[in-house]
């Protein structure tokens, strides 16, 4: 199979997997190396390398979702209304780990100062850079039969996350990727017609 076909197959394989368990089909170290490779080789605007990542396994992973549940319970207030959220978070806790994605705002500000003509664009480009890291890691996890889904409980958990894991004050939390063994694969996916989403000129 050509490299292109392999890449396309992996793109198709990467799905949001919500039914996860704590039994990874690979060693933790393989996940760590996968993330390290993504940090080194995922592009960023002006080669700013502004994305920061924290990987949580085991009790640290559980601690994240415990504090998320506690924080959201206070916000929601009503226990009955909170039940569906509690069940959703329990599903995340069932996974083996969580990858936290941050953007270093000190780097973003530095780029704004260095290239003031593009100052207003650097926060947008940083978000795009972060999304590329998310996609690369998510697809790589799929390649080793590790399921994952992406969550966004920031900014409500930002302060507790920063205090618990001594996160640099310049690191701004952008997303949380839960990963683990695949308990149940994703269902069928529907697609809008390509012709409604793409135009080609001059071919």
């Amino acid at each position: 199979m050509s490299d292109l076909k392999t890449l396309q197959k992996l793109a198709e394989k990467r799905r949001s997997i919500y039914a996860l368990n704590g039994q990874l089909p690979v060693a933790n170290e393989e996940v760590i190396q996968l993330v390290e490779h993504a940090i080194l080789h995922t592009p960023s605007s002006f080669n700013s390398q502004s994305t920061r990542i924290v990987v949580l396994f085991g009790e640290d992973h559980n601690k994240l979702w415990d504090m998320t549940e506690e924080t959201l319970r206070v916000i929601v207030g009503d226990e009955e209304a909170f039940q569906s959220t509690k069940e959703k978070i329990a599903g995340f806790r069932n996974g083996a780990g969580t990858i936290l994605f941050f953007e270093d705002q000190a780097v973003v500000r530095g780029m704004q100062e260095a290239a003031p003509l593009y100052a207003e664009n650097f926060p947008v480009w940083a978000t795009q850079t972060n999304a590329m890291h998310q996609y690369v890691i998510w697809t790589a996890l799929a390649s080793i039969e590790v399921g994952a889904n992406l969550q966004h409980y920031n900014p409500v958990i930002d302060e507790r996350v920063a205090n618990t894991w001594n996160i640099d004050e310049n690191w701004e939390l952008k997303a949380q990727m839960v990963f683990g063994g695949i308990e149940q694969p994703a269902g069928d996916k529907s697609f809008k017609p390509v012709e409604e989403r793409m135009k080609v000129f001059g071919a």
Side-chain angles (χ1 to χ4, degrees):
M1 184 181 294
S2 69
D3 289 345
L4 175 59
K5 289 294 183 184
T6 299
L7 181 62
Q8 290 174 329
K9 286 294 183 185
L10 288 176
E12 294 172 14
K13 188 173 185 177
R14 185 226 53 79
R15 298 291 305 280
S16 293
I17 308 294
Y18 295 103
L20 298 172
N21 61 51
Q23 306 303 312
L24 287 175
V26 298
N28 290 355
E29 186 60 34
E30 190 164 345
V31 174
I32 295 169
Q33 291 173 355
L34 176 156
V35 174
E36 289 176 347
H37 187 275
I39 289 174
L40 291 175
H41 299 288
T42 303
S44 59
S45 64
F46 289 70
N47 196 31
S48 59
Q49 303 178 53
S50 55
T51 297
R52 304 288 181 262
I53 293 177
V54 172
V55 185
L56 306 176
F57 292 97
E59 287 307 309
D60 284 286
H61 159 77
N62 291 337
K63 188 183 298 182
L64 172 72
W65 296 108
D66 287 346
M67 69 173 60
T68 301
E69 181 178 331
E70 292 165 5
T71 301
L72 292 175
R73 176 178 274 109
V74 172
I75 293 172
V76 174
D78 182 80
E79 190 64 30
E80 185 175 343
F82 182 68
Q83 190 60 33
S84 62
T85 299
K86 180 178 179 180
E87 292 171 1
K88 184 183 293 186
I89 291 174
F92 304 147
R93 194 184 288 108
N94 286 340
T98 304
I99 301 168
L100 303 178
F101 294 86
F102 300 83
E103 279 297 305
D104 191 334
Q105 298 306 306
V107 174
V108 175
R109 290 192 296 272
M111 298 303 295
Q112 290 175 312
E113 293 167 4
L117 182 62
Y118 304 107
E120 66 180 19
N121 292 326
F122 280 110
V124 177
W125 292 338
T127 298
Q128 293 169 346
T129 293
N130 204 274
M132 286 191 282
H133 282 78
Q134 294 165 25
Y135 181 77
V136 167
I137 291 171
W138 200 346
T139 305
L141 288 171
S143 77
I144 57 173
E145 306 299 333
V146 174
N149 62 76
L150 192 65
Q151 302 302 318
H152 301 90
Y153 285 97
N154 43 291
V156 296
I157 62 171
D158 289 18
E159 184 175 355
R160 293 191 67 176
V161 167
N163 291 338
T164 301
W165 288 285
N166 194 29
I167 303 300
D168 188 297
E169 64 180 7
N170 291 302
W171 292 19
E172 185 176 291
L173 185 60
K174 296 295 184 181
Q176 307 85 51
M177 183 177 291
V178 188
F179 63 89
I182 300 174
E183 190 73 26
Q184 182 177 328
D188 293 335
K189 183 178 181 179
S190 61
F191 298 90
K192 294 182 178 180
V194 173
E195 57 268 23
E196 293 181 7
R197 305 168 63 191
M198 177 179 176
K199 295 182 184 294
V200 178
F201 300 94

